[in-house]
Amino acid sequence: MNSSQLMTDQHPTRAARMGTPQVRLETDRLILRMWCEDDFEPYAKLCADAEVMRYLGGKTYTRSETWRHMAFLIGHWHLRGYGHWAIEEKLSGHFVGRIGFLNPEAWPGFEIGWTLGREFWGKGYATEGARRALDYAFDVLDKDHVISLIHPENQASIAVAKRLGEKLEGKAEIMGIHVLVYGIDRDS
């Protein structure tokens, strides 16, 4: 990994004690970066799209709920030293969505997830960004195993998980929603 692929001002395991890390990753077409206030409007649009939110609890977010969720994503970085990145399309600079990690209290494991705006579906962005994030999880965060929690009817996300090399490991219930647990080991 070279400096153009990873820019961080703090070691991720110390980040929770020292403040939010500034981790930026890149792929051929995407920039995975920290959130900023300017991301609120496009994120609110994404969270208000019923089709995008269909498998994420089944309801859209109000602007207030979107603000709280964005604060949750940013706070996860501060408390855990990792989280979801805001995704930006390199060519246009447009906000694409989010990709990254969650592992809040009582979660079934270290999870990688993705949510993209509908206009960016079908371009391979979820796989491209998640693959880069997985490299970061294994190489920098030193994780041995990563899971994805996916609604059983979300065939597009199941396909992304499979392209990443994840295999079906079981089922779980998260906040009252039944999900499939896909996972991958570092050595896969």
Side-chain angles (χ1 to χ4, degrees):
M1 190 174 312
N2 63 43
S3 61
S4 68
Q5 294 172 311
L6 169 67
M7 295 171 24
T8 181
D9 65 356
Q10 300 173 19
H11 188 274
T13 58
R14 292 179 40 215
R17 293 190 309 271
M18 299 180 68
T20 305
Q22 295 299 308
V23 179
R24 175 187 169 105
L25 305 177
E26 295 190 13
T27 70
D28 289 341
R29 301 179 296 163
L30 303 172
I31 297 170
L32 290 71
R33 60 168 174 74
M34 293 298 105
W35 293 83
C36 64
E37 190 171 354
D38 288 345
D39 294 326
F40 176 71
E41 289 301 332
Y43 192 54
K45 178 183 172 197
L46 182 148
C47 292
D49 186 325
E51 190 60 26
V52 170
M53 301 301 285
R54 180 178 180 187
Y55 300 120
L56 300 173
K59 73 172 215 71
T60 59
Y61 289 174
T62 64
R63 290 178 63 79
S64 177
E65 289 167 329
T66 299
W67 182 265
R68 285 193 304 271
H69 192 261
M70 196 168 127
F72 162 78
L73 295 171
I74 294 166
H76 201 285
W77 276 100
H78 183 76
L79 295 171
R80 298 281 197 205
Y82 54 81
H84 273 238
W85 287 274
I87 306 303
E88 185 177 307
E89 189 177 46
K90 274 187 181 178
L91 190 59
S92 69
H94 290 131
F95 177 88
V96 172
R98 61 184 171 93
I99 294 174
F101 311 113
L102 291 177
N103 194 8
E105 187 62 27
W107 219 241
F110 182 86
E111 179 194 11
I112 186 169
W114 45 86
T115 304
L116 277 59
R118 203 177 338 169
E119 63 271 29
F120 299 103
W121 292 359
K123 296 183 178 195
Y125 285 171
T127 303
E128 183 177 326
R131 186 169 283 129
R132 180 66 185 93
L134 268 179
D135 289 344
Y136 182 82
F138 293 140
D139 298 341
V140 178
L141 297 178
D142 199 29
K143 299 297 180 184
D144 291 322
H145 188 75
V146 178
I147 64 169
S148 292
L149 304 173
I150 303 173
H151 190 285
E153 296 174 12
N154 190 343
Q155 294 302 312
S157 280
I158 290 170
V160 170
K162 288 179 177 179
R163 281 193 293 275
L164 294 172
E166 292 187 79
K167 305 230 182 310
L168 182 62
E169 296 180 345
K171 298 176 181 181
E173 185 177 326
I174 304 297
M175 298 184 296
I177 300 169
H178 294 281
V179 295
L180 299 174
V181 180
Y182 278 79
I184 186 169
D185 292 322
R186 177 199 311 258
D187 299 329
S188 296

